[in-house]
Amino acid sequence: MGSAEYRPLLLGLHSHSQIPDLSSVVIEEFLENRPVALRWWPRLVAWESRLLWRLSGASIVVSIFNYMLSFVTLMFCGHLGALELAGASIASVGIQGLAYGIMLGMASAVQTVCGQAYGAKKYSAMGIILQRAIILHFVAAILLSFVYWFSGPILKGIGQKDSIAEQGEIFARGLIPQLFAFAISCPMQRFLQAQNIVNPLAFMSIGVFILHTLLTWVVVYVLDYGLVGAALTLSLSWWLLVIINGLYIVLSPSCKETWTGLSARAFTGIWPYLKLTVASAVMLCLEIWYNQGLVLISGLLTDPTIALDSISICMNYLNWDMQFMLGLSAAASIRVSNELGAGHARVAKFSVFVVNGTSILISIVFSAIVLIFRVGLSKLFTSDDEVITAVSSLTPLLAISVFLNGIQPILSGVAIGSGWQAVVAYVNLATYYIIGLPIGCVLGFKTGLGVAGIWWGMIIGVLLQTATLIILTARTNWDAEVVKAAERLNKSANEETIDLVASASA
């Protein structure tokens, strides 16, 4: 587009109120055709923030309330007794966390390809991608169900006490139906988020959470069904979520272009999509299991019940914060993938800067809350004075981790939106498991620091991973990412050639 055509557009941008009404196409031209004066940046940030929060507000609600299903279940288990809480926690982390990492990781491939397909206006491809993802997730769930069933010997094999492992097995076996629900729900939620359908998802998640809380109270306190009752109630709640999500996709007019019914095409072209799915699963599994490893290793310390209870309470709050940031991360992923799919390299890059700045500010606030309410937070889970004291001593480390959560998951969301999963998987392997975890084990078992030493090792790994992702993001050629997005969509969606490069330069 020539400068003669472009200047009247710029001259028309004379007030803050007009910025929100502009499209990504106009903003892309604005960022491309001339150096942007300082006075425009606050207005452009406001434009991007409006789009980001429209997505992230509901995405955060979905992420938090889905996580709160397990969170509330563990709270009820904690009031059954310290041993029951330790068993449920170790099963939730060591067994459910394994499946959670794999399923969520696999689902991030849906986020990448569907997000880019939506940006490229290739709507019919999205339904095929969803079906293909559910097929692969279901196969993974069948394989993982054996891990759930034999969780007792597995937990004992990694060094957990027999009494804790036995309680963990009871809880894990009750979660097998939830595993299959999760295999269907994860792709469906990513499918809807990729097309900016987030508010309905939020209402569904809140409704199921309220019902789940009431059902769990009845099952645990009134009917006295203990751990197995709590686990089966969690499974039932996830299946309710699947049914509601599925009905929305099939019946809602919002999905009439992206969902065109079941198709045999879902069984074809699986290999290119499978490669991205595996890379996605490895990338997120390495991140999620890293934090879960902190709890598992803590079970090997002296007095594992107190160690497990205190670290589990801290990790639940860290995971709660992580869910908030994963909601923001999902929004970042959607924004980046949509803009790359549409060929808007500069808007994608600008979105990355805005979301990172936003998340850092939020994390500072969250870290302060953790430090201020350190005793009150532990009392929600337990009345044991020894556990409360142990939790209070760990909250400074929790605050540091909460702050780092303001950067690392967001950069991972950008990586998902851009399709960098394979590269980030290598980064995670090196920084977390080759560097961070060994340092944590040395500090935890050889210096007398215990849980705090293990956690310090984890923090070092996250710092190195975050620094690496910052460097990768800063050095990214976003025009090249637009070309890669088109190539990835062609291979994964089995669609005709999509000339995004032409649209980007038009």
Side-chain angles (χ1 to χ4, degrees):
M1 183 178 287
S3 59
E5 296 176 87
Y6 189 67
R7 282 202 181 92
L9 170 67
L10 293 182
L11 291 173
L13 300 180
H14 56 76
S15 72
H16 178 82
S17 61
Q18 286 179 298
I19 290 281
D21 301 323
L22 298 177
S23 67
S24 293
V25 177
V26 174
I27 299 297
E28 178 73 13
E29 293 173 356
F30 190 15
L31 295 172
E32 182 180 15
N33 280 267
R34 59 178 282 174
V36 179
L38 187 62
R39 64 191 176 93
W40 290 113
W41 287 114
R43 306 178 189 190
L44 291 170
V45 168
W47 175 84
E48 177 60 38
S49 296
R50 178 172 171 265
L51 292 176
L52 184 67
W53 280 106
R54 186 185 295 168
L55 288 171
S56 62
S59 294
I60 288 167
V61 169
V62 171
S63 188
I64 286 177
F65 278 91
N66 285 352
Y67 170 72
M68 287 289 283
L69 295 176
S70 294
F71 186 85
V72 163
T73 299
L74 283 180
M75 285 180 67
F76 279 105
C77 291
H79 290 285
L80 289 171
L83 182 61
E84 285 83 354
L85 175 60
S89 297
I90 203 69
S92 182
V93 171
I95 306 301
Q96 190 186 22
L98 170 75
Y100 180 81
I102 291 172
M103 295 295 181
L104 201 64
M106 291 174 69
S108 76
V110 180
Q111 216 163 316
T112 301
V113 184
C114 279
Q116 293 176 358
Y118 188 76
K121 296 182 168 51
K122 296 295 173 181
Y123 303 128
S124 62
M126 297 177 67
I128 306 297
I129 294 163
L130 171 62
Q131 293 171 59
R132 192 173 293 150
I134 290 175
I135 292 166
L136 293 175
H137 276 70
F138 213 79
V139 171
I142 292 172
L143 297 175
L144 286 167
S145 63
F146 291 98
V147 177
Y148 275 60
W149 189 258
F150 296 105
S151 55
I154 291 171
L155 292 172
K156 291 176 186 176
I158 58 175
Q160 302 303 320
K161 284 179 64 178
D162 287 0
S163 57
I164 293 175
E166 286 163 8
Q167 294 296 315
E169 183 178 72
I170 293 170
F171 190 74
R173 287 183 174 181
L175 292 178
I176 291 176
Q178 187 249 10
L179 171 63
F180 287 91
F182 205 60
I184 302 171
S185 177
C186 266
M188 288 199 300
Q189 289 191 355
R190 299 304 181 275
F191 167 80
L192 290 170
Q193 287 174 331
Q195 49 193 307
N196 302 330
I197 298 174
V198 285
N199 288 336
L201 276 176
F203 290 124
M204 294 176 209
S205 296
I206 293 171
V208 170
F209 168 74
I210 293 170
L211 183 60
H212 171 72
T213 304
L214 293 173
L215 285 174
T216 307
W217 178 79
V218 170
V219 168
V220 174
Y221 278 112
V222 179
L223 300 178
D224 196 25
Y225 283 164
L227 277 183
V228 69
L232 288 172
T233 306
L234 181 59
S235 294
L236 173 64
S237 297
W238 270 98
W239 272 106
L240 289 174
L241 204 56
V242 167
I243 292 167
I244 297 169
N245 289 168
L247 288 174
Y248 185 89
I249 290 171
V250 173
L251 301 176
S252 172
S254 303
C255 299
K256 64 181 180 180
E257 289 185 87
T258 54
W259 177 260
T260 54
L262 297 173
S263 171
R265 287 179 60 200
F267 292 93
T268 63
I270 283 184
W271 179 244
Y273 180 76
L274 178 62
K275 288 193 290 186
L276 181 62
T277 298
V278 171
S280 301
V282 172
M283 170 192 154
L284 275 187
C285 283
L286 290 175
E287 289 185 12
I288 292 170
W289 294 346
Y290 188 58
N291 284 334
Q292 315 288 22
L294 176 58
V295 180
L296 290 174
I297 295 170
S298 300
L300 307 177
L301 294 168
T302 307
D303 195 1
T305 302
I306 296 298
L308 273 176
D309 284 352
S310 60
I311 198 67
S312 295
I313 290 170
C314 286
M315 289 306 296
N316 268 294
Y317 284 112
L318 182 60
N319 286 337
W320 189 89
D321 171 71
M322 178 68 82
Q323 299 314 307
F324 186 98
M325 290 304 168
L326 283 176
L328 198 56
S329 170
S333 176
I334 294 164
R335 286 288 300 127
V336 170
S337 61
N338 285 175
E339 297 299 347
L340 288 178
H344 301 151
R346 286 156 189 80
V347 176
K349 180 180 179 180
F350 181 61
S351 180
V352 171
F353 283 109
V354 173
V355 70
N356 275 290
T358 302
S359 64
I360 289 170
L361 290 175
I362 293 170
S363 287
I364 291 172
V365 174
F366 282 0
S367 297
I369 290 172
V370 165
L371 292 173
I372 293 169
F373 298 104
R374 59 170 67 184
V375 175
L377 293 176
S378 58
K379 286 184 176 178
L380 284 175
F381 276 91
T382 183
S383 53
D384 188 312
D385 290 337
E386 198 174 352
V387 176
I388 291 171
T389 302
V391 171
S392 297
S393 67
L394 290 174
T395 46
L397 294 178
L398 177 60
I400 295 171
S401 294
V402 165
F403 176 75
L404 291 176
N405 267 355
I407 308 170
Q408 184 271 331
I410 308 304
L411 292 173
S412 291
V414 172
I416 290 169
S418 306
W420 303 339
Q421 285 95 325
V423 175
V424 179
Y426 286 115
V427 172
N428 290 349
L429 180 63
T431 57
Y432 288 168
Y433 295 90
I434 296 177
I435 300 174
L437 199 57
I439 291 175
C441 288
V442 170
L443 292 177
F445 292 96
K446 299 297 183 182
T447 65
L449 288 173
V451 172
I454 298 169
W455 203 329
W456 270 116
M458 299 290 180
I459 287 174
I460 291 168
V462 174
L463 273 171
L464 291 173
Q465 190 254 18
T466 302
T468 306
L469 287 185
I470 289 172
I471 294 168
L472 284 174
T473 306
R475 297 183 62 184
T476 297
N477 182 331
W478 292 97
D479 290 311
E481 293 302 319
V482 167
V483 177
K484 291 177 185 176
E487 293 172 351
R488 183 179 302 109
L489 184 54
N490 291 333
K491 291 177 183 176
S492 299
N494 261 1
E495 286 288 297
E496 66 276 6
T497 302
I498 304 165
D499 190 6
L500 291 184
V501 186
S503 68
S505 58

